[in-house]
Amino acid sequence: RKAAKLAKNLLIGLIAGCLGGILGVGGGIVMIPLMVDFLRFKQHEAHGTSLVAVVCTGIVGTVTYYLHGTADLLASLLIAGAALATARLGVRYCCVLPEGNLKRSFGVFLLLVAFLLVFKPYLPNLLDITGNLPLKIVAFVILGLLTGFLSGMMGVGGGVFMVPMMVLFIGVGQHTSQGISLLAMIPASALGAWSHYQRGNVRTEMLTGLIGGILIGTYLGGSVAHLLPEMPLRLLFTVLLAYTGIRYLRTK
């Protein structure tokens, strides 16, 4: 029975890691539904445990993207520093919401991001940060503040928010946005995971299998991402977000 549980955890980690590496996200949008549906986690436990795994995704993904030259250290540090200021607030908000409301909020959030990605070709970049360091700093700090709150609240690394916001409104390329996201999500995810752990929302006995799968999957996914053009990456991102968002909106 223990071997079967370990295999389930390993498979979930592998799937989440592959997706995280390919799309530059922590993998929480896959891990959370799988933990709830197949491992019978409570929603708050899934969010807390997911964040621990997301930290591992961020570390391995960052190394992989850095080796491929798709990273922006300054942007990542600005987002990460700002996210630390709001991650605990997001966790606090998560813990006061009833489970059903938390699920529906998560669904609305994912559908909004999917909608924006569908209409990306028709949306202008709101900011042109090329050669404008002060504007770049302001843009990424604001993005970091929003990301930290959403990371703590939703149990995800924030990549599902960061990547489309950078692509849609700041004009950063898809691959570079994903590289920035993976590094930037680490500090806020770690802080959010610790906050959830203090509230008893982390299932530590499940982490061995999850993390093992994530380490392998993230490296493979990050390598595959650099073999794909931008449009297939964006399409995969959109379909996954829409499917998951609809499932969560149907929560009773």
Side-chain angles (χ1 to χ4, degrees):
R1 191 171 179 179
K2 287 184 179 179
K5 283 186 177 179
L6 181 63
K8 276 186 180 180
N9 297 339
L10 187 66
L11 180 60
I12 290 173
L14 187 64
I15 294 170
C18 285
L19 182 74
I22 290 173
L23 298 178
V25 299
I29 54 175
V30 172
M31 278 187 286
I32 290 173
L34 290 177
M35 286 176 184
V36 172
D37 293 343
F38 295 105
L39 301 182
R40 302 303 177 193
F41 279 32
K42 294 179 180 178
Q43 190 69 25
H44 294 86
E45 289 176 341
H47 284 222
T49 307
S50 165
L51 276 175
V52 178
V54 162
V55 174
C56 299
T57 303
I59 293 170
V60 178
T62 296
V63 173
T64 306
Y65 274 73
Y66 179 80
L67 292 175
H68 285 87
T70 48
D72 185 329
L73 183 59
L74 175 60
S76 296
L77 292 177
L78 289 171
I79 293 173
L84 287 174
T86 54
R88 279 184 176 271
L89 182 62
V91 172
R92 226 175 270 133
Y93 186 63
C94 164
C95 292
V96 300
L97 277 178
E99 188 162 327
N101 289 348
L102 182 61
K103 285 185 177 183
R104 285 188 287 272
S105 297
F106 193 46
V108 170
F109 167 68
L110 295 180
L111 284 175
L112 175 61
V113 173
F115 175 82
L116 290 174
L117 284 175
V118 168
F119 288 96
K120 164 55 167 93
Y122 309 102
L123 295 173
N125 294 329
L126 295 183
L127 296 174
D128 182 5
I129 61 172
T130 307
N132 191 333
L133 183 59
L135 185 59
K136 178 178 181 177
I137 292 173
V138 171
F140 284 113
V141 166
I142 292 173
L143 181 58
L145 292 172
L146 295 172
T147 298
F149 179 81
L150 289 170
S151 175
M153 175 181 159
M154 298 298 182
V156 296
V160 290
F161 179 75
M162 277 187 277
V163 172
M165 293 304 103
M166 284 187 274
V167 171
L168 290 166
F169 300 115
I170 305 180
V172 182
Q174 183 78 24
H175 292 87
T176 303
S177 294
Q178 293 178 188
I180 291 171
S181 166
L182 285 163
L183 175 56
M185 72 174 63
I186 296 172
S189 298
L191 182 59
W194 175 247
S195 298
H196 274 287
Y197 177 77
Q198 291 177 313
R199 290 166 170 79
N201 291 336
V202 176
R203 297 278 296 273
T204 54
E205 75 277 9
M206 303 291 188
L207 291 177
T208 302
L210 284 172
I211 291 174
I214 279 171
L215 294 179
I216 298 169
T218 303
Y219 175 76
L220 293 175
S223 300
V224 169
H226 290 87
L227 301 176
L228 298 175
E230 185 167 326
M231 281 305 297
L233 282 179
R234 193 184 305 151
L235 179 61
L236 179 60
F237 206 123
T238 303
V239 170
L240 177 67
L241 292 182
Y243 171 75
T244 309
I246 290 170
R247 287 196 64 203
Y248 271 88
L249 276 180
R250 294 173 64 185
T251 299
K252 296 182 181 179

